[in-house]
């Protein structure tokens, strides 16, 4: 059984993302591991180490009791969405969120991370929003970022941004496998900027290669990549956007980590961020594809 990691602070934002985690678990035949991370405040009481230890013990006990009290609320959400059959487990960790996610993702061989994001308030990212961005940037595995305003409906159309590179083919194959499980259509977008080096013949080759797959290709000539993506999401009624994050500068890589994080703050649809170094290891749904073997 595959594993989905769902970090939660039991907020409205997290609970909203939990529905997506459950739905993805249904399609992936996966279990959901719910992670709550807490931190203890610094306490200094010079000369009284036993007192400090007692305070920490009390705080940890309170955190545990609070965690235990919230577990039934997650089960209730699952049952309200007719997903009570999904296998769930719960982990309580003390420390910083991102390192805790990194450690658990590796030790439990996690296939997908699902997180909620608040987006931005003015110019300042709210805590869970910025944490989601940090996880996308630092944890080298698929992350589904769910904005608080995104309410789950049937996923009929999955968007995928591409530059028609070989590395994109492996990611696209993963997205197609997700789409087939959901009986959804994939719509690929390439924003052709002024200095684009992608040839028409290359684009046509992709169209021919995927002619039998549930995928359609769109080429938009525009120098404003972000605005082109937003317009594409609206005009094509995209329910979920998938992006391969390139860890390089914006001029060298069209869709790099900061672009994906920025979109995850502003969009009202979930974004599946895929990481280049992990593409060969990703088996979100089904068996290893030809694209992954090349």
């Amino acid at each position: 059984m595959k594993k989905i990691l769902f970090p939660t602070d039991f907020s409205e934002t997290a609970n909203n993302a939990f529905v997506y985690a459950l739905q993805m678990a249904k399609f992936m035949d996966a279990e959901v591991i719910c992670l709550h991370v807490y931190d203890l405040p610094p306490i200094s009481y010079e000369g009284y180490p036993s007192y400090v230890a007692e305070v920490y013990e009390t705080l940890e006990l309170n955190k545990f009791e609070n965690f235990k009290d919230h577990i039934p609320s997650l089960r209730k959400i699952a049952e309200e969405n007719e997903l009570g059959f999904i296998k769930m487990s719960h982990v309580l960790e003390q420390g910083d969120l991102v390192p805790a996610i990194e450690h658990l993702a590796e030790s439990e061989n996690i296939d997908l991370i699902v997180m909620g994001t608040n987006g931005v308030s003015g110019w300042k990212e709210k805590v869970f929003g910025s944490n989601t961005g940090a996880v996308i940037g630092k944890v080298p595995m698929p992350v589904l970022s769910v904005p608080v305003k995104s309410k789950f409906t049937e996923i009929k159309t999955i968007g995928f941004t591409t530059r028609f590179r070989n590395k994109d083919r492996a990611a696209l194959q993963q997205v197609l496998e997700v789409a087939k499980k959901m009986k959804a259509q994939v719509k690929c977008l390439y924003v052709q900027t002024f200095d684009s080096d992608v040839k028409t013949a290359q684009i046509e080759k992709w169209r021919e290669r995927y002619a039998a797959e549930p995928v359609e290709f769109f080429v938009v000539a525009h120098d404003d990549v972000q605005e082109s993506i937003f317009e594409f999401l609206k005009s094509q009624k995209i329910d979920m956007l998938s992006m391969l994050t390139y860890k390089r500068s914006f001029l060298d890589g069209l869709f790099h980590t900061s672009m994906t994080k920025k979109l995850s703050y502003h969009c009202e649809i979930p974004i599946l961020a895929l990481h280049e170094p992990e593409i060969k290891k990703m088996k979100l749904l089904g068996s290893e594809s030809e694209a992954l073997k090349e």
Side-chain angles (χ1 to χ4, degrees):
M1 180 173 284
K2 294 175 174 60
K3 296 180 181 180
I4 293 175
L5 179 59
F6 168 64
T8 179
D9 58 357
F10 303 109
S11 63
E12 178 186 354
T13 298
N15 289 343
N16 181 60
F18 184 52
V19 177
Y20 275 89
L22 292 169
Q23 291 286 353
M24 294 299 291
K26 180 178 74 172
F27 290 115
M28 292 171 61
D29 187 25
E31 66 174 297
V32 177
I33 300 176
C34 304
L35 169 67
H36 179 60
V37 180
Y38 69 96
D39 201 7
L40 295 176
I43 298 176
S44 177
Y45 208 84
E46 190 174 349
Y48 296 88
S50 61
Y51 171 78
V52 173
E54 185 178 330
V55 170
Y56 276 133
E57 185 175 337
T58 302
L59 287 170
E60 287 191 316
L61 180 61
N62 289 338
K63 291 290 184 181
F64 174 75
E65 291 298 330
N66 181 60
F67 174 68
K68 188 174 66 174
D69 290 343
H70 275 94
I71 290 176
S73 67
L74 295 180
R75 176 56 61 183
K76 183 179 179 181
I77 292 173
E79 291 172 352
E80 288 175 347
N81 287 272
E82 300 182 350
L83 294 167
F85 61 90
I86 299 296
K87 181 181 178 181
M88 284 192 290
S89 59
H90 304 272
V91 177
L92 178 65
E93 291 280 354
Q94 188 270 324
D96 294 327
L97 179 64
V98 177
I101 290 175
E102 286 182 287
H103 172 73
L104 194 61
E106 184 175 352
S107 64
E108 290 291 334
N109 195 25
I110 296 297
D111 297 280
L112 174 67
I113 300 171
V114 178
M115 296 184 69
T117 176
N118 278 318
V120 294
S121 176
W123 291 102
K124 184 179 180 182
E125 295 98 357
K126 293 182 180 179
V127 174
F128 219 62
S130 59
N131 279 335
T132 303
V135 172
I136 290 175
K138 294 181 180 179
V139 182
M141 62 182 53
V143 178
L144 181 63
S145 169
V146 182
V148 67
K149 293 182 180 180
S150 177
K151 304 302 178 184
F152 185 86
T153 57
E154 182 182 0
I155 296 176
K156 298 179 180 179
T157 307
I158 301 176
F160 177 72
T161 55
T162 182
R163 295 184 64 192
F164 296 105
R165 293 183 174 186
N166 287 336
K167 66 184 73 176
D168 292 0
R169 286 175 45 212
L172 175 56
Q173 190 61 42
Q174 294 294 315
V175 175
L176 283 170
E177 289 171 3
V178 173
K180 289 174 183 177
K181 289 285 186 179
M182 295 181 169
K183 294 181 171 56
Q185 177 80 9
V186 177
K187 296 190 176 184
C188 290
L189 170 68
Y190 171 58
V191 182
Q192 191 173 41
T193 57
F194 175 77
D195 58 350
S196 171
D197 59 352
V198 178
K199 307 299 182 184
T200 301
Q202 186 177 352
I203 298 173
E204 291 305 316
K205 186 177 180 180
W206 274 56
R207 286 196 170 110
E208 291 174 8
R209 183 182 184 91
Y210 293 99
E213 300 284 4
V215 59
E216 187 176 1
F217 294 93
F218 296 79
V219 177
V220 176
H222 206 291
D223 284 333
D224 192 327
V225 175
Q226 184 176 329
E227 287 304 318
S228 297
I229 292 175
F230 286 139
E231 180 58 35
F232 174 76
L233 298 178
K234 182 179 178 180
S235 64
Q236 296 302 318
K237 299 180 180 179
I238 303 298
D239 300 308
M240 178 187 292
L241 176 64
S242 52
M243 302 182 74
L244 178 60
T245 58
Y246 297 151
K247 294 188 175 181
R248 57 190 67 186
S249 70
F250 178 77
L251 294 177
D252 187 41
L254 191 57
F255 302 116
H256 62 81
T257 300
S258 64
M259 169 64 79
T260 307
K261 287 192 290 185
K262 191 171 184 179
L263 284 169
S264 73
Y265 296 149
H266 291 279
C267 287
E268 292 185 8
I269 66 169
I271 292 179
L272 178 62
L274 307 175
H275 293 267
E276 178 187 341
E278 293 296 307
I279 288 299
K280 290 186 179 179
K281 298 180 182 179
M282 278 175 33
K283 299 178 184 178
L284 291 182
L285 297 164
S287 60
E288 193 172 15
S289 64
E290 287 186 17
L292 297 178
K293 293 176 183 178
E294 294 182 0

